[in-house]
């Protein structure tokens, strides 16, 4: 159904309907048909090894797209304090706790992973940020489907992005937002804090601050243009923005 909507909007080739895509999937050996419809490659679509390779190569980008689609449904992971864990060993112990932000709540709201979630038994996550699809309340507030996303995904596809503190002058911030930043952080400054909607705060290397602000501004503008005209081709400059985004998403959280 999502592919059908994207087809109607012009983001993928026209004329794709859910029933037709499902039929393609059955003909290709039982897949959902999406890859066959998009790439016109029945042989590759029916090979799980190629699908797994493709997913692994594009995993950071796929997670970033999930972040873009589901934000602000973000859950923060609080790892257990090793000093307070049973036995006080270096390995820590116990389970992490989780909080989300709700617009009508003055403070972060505690939640738990639903027992049916594939992550319900996880005690360690690759990121302290999880994007989730839905929350349910029974005896307590639960989150069901969730996926770890890097802070790079949040910086590039999350909410309003601002620098905290006086790491750069107001003029430099203005230039960065206008996509014209050519400034360097003050000497001795190694890290800066970037805030997403004022509540998700991420420390990044100081030399990346202006780059991230500039790329985010250009990416937002590019997405707006693409939404307004999905069939518009990307020139070299716009493709360059996407290449930088892909490169940043491949970075490891620190």
């Amino acid at each position: 159904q999502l592919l059908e909507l994207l087809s109607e909007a012009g983001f993928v080739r026209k004329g794709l309907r859910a029933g037709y895509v499902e039929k393609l999937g059955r003909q290709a050996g039982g897949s959902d048909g999406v890859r066959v419809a998009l790439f016109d490659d029945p042989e590759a679509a029916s090979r799980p090894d190629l699908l797994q390779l493709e997913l692994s190569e594009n995993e950071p980008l796929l997670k970033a797209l999930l972040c873009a689609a589901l934000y602000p449904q973000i859950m923060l992971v609080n790892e257990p304090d090793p000093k307070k864990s049973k036995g006080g060993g270096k390995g820590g112990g116990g389970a992490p706790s989780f909080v989300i932000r709700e617009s009508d709540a003055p403070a972060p709201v505690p939640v738990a992973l639903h027992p049916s979630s594939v992550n319900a038994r996880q005690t360690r996550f690759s990121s302290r940020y999880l994007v989730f699809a839905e929350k349910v309340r029974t005896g307590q507030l639960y989150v069901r489907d969730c996926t770890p996303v890097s802070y790079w995904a949040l910086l590039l596809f999350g909410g309003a992005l601002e620098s905290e503190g006086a790491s750069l002058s107001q003029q430099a911030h203005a230039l960065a937002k206008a996509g014209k930043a050519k400034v360097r952080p003050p000497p001795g400054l190694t890290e800066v804090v970037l805030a997403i909607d004022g509540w998700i705060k991420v420390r990044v290397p100081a030399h990346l601050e202006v780059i991230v602000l500039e790329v985010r501004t250009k990416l937002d503008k590019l997405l707006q243009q693409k939404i307004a005209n999905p069939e518009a081709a990307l020139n070299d400059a716009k493709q360059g923005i996407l290449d930088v985004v892909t490169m940043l998403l491949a970075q490891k959280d620190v």
Side-chain angles (χ1 to χ4, degrees), residues 200-211:
I200 299 177
K201 299 183 180 182
V202 178
R203 290 186 178 276
V204 300
H207 68 278
L208 290 179
E209 178 187 19
V210 176
I211 295 175

Side-chain angles (χ1 to χ4, degrees), residues 197-235:
D197 280 341
W199 73 288
I200 299 177
K201 299 183 180 182
V202 178
R203 290 186 178 276
V204 300
H207 68 278
L208 290 179
E209 178 187 19
V210 176
I211 295 175
V212 172
L213 290 171
E214 182 175 355
V215 170
R216 174 62 189 271
T217 299
K218 290 185 175 181
L219 178 61
D220 287 348
K221 183 178 180 180
L222 175 57
L223 291 174
Q224 291 170 2
Q225 293 173 343
K226 197 65 176 174
I227 291 171
N229 186 9
E231 297 180 357
L234 296 178
N235 57 28

Side-chain angles (χ1 to χ4, degrees), residues 120-177:
R121 296 182 181 275
Q122 290 289 330
T123 59
R124 293 290 182 271
F125 294 89
S126 58
S127 171
R128 69 180 303 256
Y129 309 103
L130 305 178
V131 62
F132 65 90
E134 64 172 335
K135 57 181 185 286
V136 295
R137 186 181 291 277
T138 53
Q140 67 180 105
L141 187 60
Y142 286 105
V143 164
R144 202 192 311 270
D145 304 315
C146 58
T147 298
V149 294
S150 73
Y151 68 64
W152 291 107
L154 288 166
L155 291 172
L156 294 171
F157 292 95
L161 184 62
E162 294 286 345
S163 293
E164 281 201 343
S167 56
L168 294 176
S169 68
Q170 291 299 317
Q171 181 183 7
H173 283 302
L175 287 172
K177 288 188 175 184

Side-chain angles (χ1 to χ4, degrees), residues 96-127:
S97 60
F98 310 93
V99 295
I100 63 173
R101 188 191 192 196
E102 294 192 321
S103 58
D104 57 350
V109 178
V111 295
L113 291 180
H114 195 275
S116 66
S117 170
V118 296
N119 291 319
R121 296 182 181 275
Q122 290 289 330
T123 59
R124 293 290 182 271
F125 294 89
S126 58
S127 171

Side-chain angles (χ1 to χ4, degrees), residues 44-56:
S46 62
R47 288 188 55 185
D49 58 328
L50 293 181
L51 176 59
Q52 185 61 39
L53 178 61
E54 183 176 306
L55 289 176
S56 64

Side-chain angles (χ1 to χ4, degrees), residues 169-198:
S169 68
Q170 291 299 317
Q171 181 183 7
H173 283 302
L175 287 172
K177 288 188 175 184
K180 301 176 182 179
K182 292 184 184 238
V183 294
R184 295 181 179 178
L189 185 67
T190 59
E191 284 187 334
V192 297
V193 176
L194 295 177
I196 304 160
D197 280 341

Side-chain angles (χ1 to χ4, degrees), residues 1 12 23-24 58 88 127 133 141 147 162 197 209 247 251:
Q1 292 176 337
V12 296
K23 179 180 178 181
L24 288 178
N58 294 288
S127 171
L141 187 60
T147 298
E162 294 286 345
D197 280 341
E209 178 187 19
M247 179 193 71
Q251 301 297 308

